[in-house]
Amino acid sequence: MSLFVGGQWDKVEDKYPVSSIAVAGVIVLWGSTGLISAIDRLPWVPGILKLVSIGYIGSYKHSLPKQTTFKHLTGYPSKAKVAHPMHNI
């Protein structure tokens, strides 16, 4: 891998801007992980995210037509409607 990167690095004409962008990317990644960690430590954030997800699921469910079934969504019949093979014996 280092041979590939070394060969490509020799072909780069603007080494300063490329290395600046790489360093900035590492700093942004480090800062975003710190920010996510800080948000995760707040006690009320998980509750709000649960409410948002429940609201999203509820709005999606009510936006479907009444006749929409599992088969319409996936192309497969629902397992609840499939007769058991031993049922007719």
Side-chain angles (χ1 to χ4, degrees):
M1 172 110 180
S2 64
L3 292 175
F4 176 74
V5 173
Q8 294 296 323
W9 183 250
D10 292 337
K11 294 178 184 178
V12 174
E13 294 178 15
D14 300 327
K15 288 184 171 77
Y16 181 74
V18 171
S19 59
S20 297
I21 290 173
V23 169
V26 170
I27 291 172
V28 166
L29 184 64
W30 175 71
S32 64
T33 56
L35 180 67
I36 291 171
S37 175
I39 290 173
D40 193 37
R41 283 187 234 139
L42 296 173
W44 46 270
V45 171
I48 290 175
L49 292 177
K50 285 178 188 176
L51 288 175
V52 168
S53 65
I54 289 170
Y56 176 76
I57 291 170
S59 67
Y60 177 74
K61 180 182 175 185
H62 291 293
S63 68
L64 293 174
K66 296 249 185 222
Q67 296 179 352
T68 302
T69 62
F70 184 77
K71 184 176 181 181
H72 288 102
L73 295 174
T74 62
Y76 297 104
S78 173
K79 290 184 180 181
K81 296 181 181 180
V82 176
H84 192 275
M86 299 297 287
H87 182 66
N88 295 328
I89 294 179

